[in-house]
Amino acid sequence: MLSLIIHGGAWDIPEQEIEAHTNGITTALTIGWRMLKSGANAVDTVEKVVSSLEDDGTFDAGKGSHLNADGRIELDASMMNGKTLRCGAVAAVHHVKNPISLARKIMEQSEHILLVGAGAENFALEQGMSLCSHKELISQRELNKWKAFQASHDFSTKDAFKKSNQPSDTVGAVAMDTNGDICVGTSTGGTFNKHPGRVGDSPLIGCGTYADNEIGGVSTTGWGEAMMKIVMAKTVIDFLEQNGGDIHKAATKGVDLLKRKVDGYGGVIVMNNKGEVGVAYNTPRMARAYITEQMIEPIITV
Ligand code: GLY
């Protein structure tokens, strides 16, 4: 069954940002659904969908990502192919417009799974990808936010990350193509004002992303340090396998565990091996959209 589910972050998305989030996920879902309907495979579809979210400027991924404590953007992304269990990931890059495309290159062209920093950017060049200027990734909105934060001298970020309203606009997608193959991709700029070099859950296979054709696919969004402690994406996949593929139970159990074990906040999108999709989150809002072959219209909600 053709199926596509995407997310654009789980947090207390303010009223004035709802329209931009809705538009961003609508555009990405429309691009991806057209591709799947015209026979594109899940890997191509996920790359395009996540790239659209990275380019949008609304989300904490690609252009418009949060700045770190040095006032720089450091991007992370990962992709996993559920047919082969091959995966690729990139972390802490400063000059890559679409980290999801670099994650795919690593998945398909490298013997490694995770490349970081300058080494990852050199690999991009070796593969014929072009790098962008760091300035190109910075939005005025994020620069203003970062400057205001520096001026406030409130550096109590450790606890702030625990709050359900801490901006968390990581993006992700899970697709199933006409062959029943599943692919998952996740991309992020990480947490606001993070320590330079900090890497969260999104580029870690099993934490931010997991795909296995036999079971399903999961992409996460939220407080990365908490997600990592319970290996969120693989944990939800394991719940899915244990309960016979009930997406709602698996997603809810994952988010309940996140809160109970590590006092974490965030959300997950889940697809099972039949292409059924589900969502769970414990933040005030989560931007998500999905459509399957059995639906006439997509569901798009923030
Ligand atoms: N979930 C994204 C991050 O914490 O980096």
Side-chain angles (χ1 to χ4, degrees):
M1 175 165 83
L2 299 182
S3 181
L4 179 62
I5 181 162
I6 71 174
H7 68 78
W11 59 293
D12 193 5
I13 301 167
E15 286 294 329
Q16 67 272 20
E17 290 190 33
I18 289 177
E19 193 180 342
H21 281 71
T22 305
N23 292 344
I25 55 176
T26 302
T27 301
L29 192 81
T30 306
I31 291 170
W33 192 237
R34 271 198 206 123
M35 288 181 71
L36 287 175
K37 294 279 268 187
S38 59
N41 66 42
V43 174
D44 286 343
T45 303
V46 164
E47 182 183 0
K48 272 281 180 318
V49 166
V50 175
S51 294
S52 166
L53 295 164
E54 287 173 338
D55 291 341
D56 189 273
T58 300
F59 306 98
D60 179 32
K63 184 181 152 212
S65 288
H66 299 322
L67 303 186
N68 70 12
D70 280 349
R72 302 193 78 201
I73 284 184
E74 280 190 335
L75 302 175
D76 309 331
S78 61
M79 184 185 273
M80 186 162 186
N81 181 337
K83 183 181 177 188
T84 58
L85 300 198
R86 287 193 70 159
C87 38
V90 58
V93 289
H94 304 274
H95 305 98
V96 179
K97 188 171 161 280
N98 293 111
I100 195 68
S101 296
L102 181 51
R104 179 182 180 173
K105 278 272 186 239
I106 294 165
M107 175 173 88
E108 293 181 339
Q109 305 297 337
S110 167
E111 62 182 303
H112 307 303
I113 289 179
L114 172 61
L115 295 179
V116 306
E121 294 187 352
N122 284 340
F123 181 79
L125 291 172
E126 285 159 28
Q127 292 297 317
M129 290 177 72
S130 48
L131 299 181
C132 67
S133 73
H134 181 250
K135 231 174 148 185
E136 217 177 296
L137 298 171
I138 299 180
S139 70
Q140 198 56 47
R141 177 197 67 221
E142 290 301 317
L143 190 58
N144 291 347
K145 204 196 301 176
W146 183 81
K147 282 184 178 164
F149 183 79
Q150 300 301 316
S152 77
H153 300 296
D154 172 14
F155 297 113
S156 55
T157 52
K158 192 164 179 287
D159 286 341
F161 292 155
K162 283 190 173 185
K163 292 179 188 156
S164 63
N165 62 359
Q166 184 68 21
S168 168
D169 266 342
T170 296
V171 304
V174 186
M176 178 182 279
D177 63 26
T178 184
N179 294 320
D181 291 331
I182 296 173
C183 179
V184 181
T186 308
S187 182
T188 191
T191 43
F192 175 68
N193 201 51
K194 64 188 177 184
H195 194 288
R198 177 265 187 194
V199 173
D201 59 318
S202 303
L204 302 184
I205 299 301
C207 294
T209 293
Y210 204 82
D212 180 343
N213 272 7
E214 288 182 9
I215 308 163
V218 172
S219 171
T220 71
T221 174
W223 181 34
E225 278 72 7
M227 298 278 180
M228 288 151 82
K229 286 177 191 159
I230 63 160
V231 196
M232 186 70 169
K234 182 61 164 66
T235 296
V236 173
I237 287 282
D238 290 345
F239 288 152
L240 202 55
E241 186 172 32
Q242 286 154 17
N243 74 21
D246 186 323
I247 40 176
H248 299 295
K249 273 195 191 144
T252 306
K253 220 172 149 184
V255 171
D256 288 350
L257 190 77
L258 181 73
K259 181 75 184 124
R260 182 169 65 78
K261 283 266 189 191
V262 292
D263 197 19
Y265 286 98
V268 288
I269 55 172
V270 185
M271 182 184 291
N272 66 14
N273 59 10
K274 295 190 209 110
E276 296 165 337
V277 292
V279 178
Y281 57 99
N282 63 358
T283 47
R285 293 184 190 275
M286 178 168 173
R288 75 271 188 194
Y290 56 91
I291 181 159
T292 74
E293 243 175 335
Q294 289 169 340
M295 294 165 61
I296 296 162
E297 293 289 330
I299 301 284
I300 300 166
T301 319
V302 178

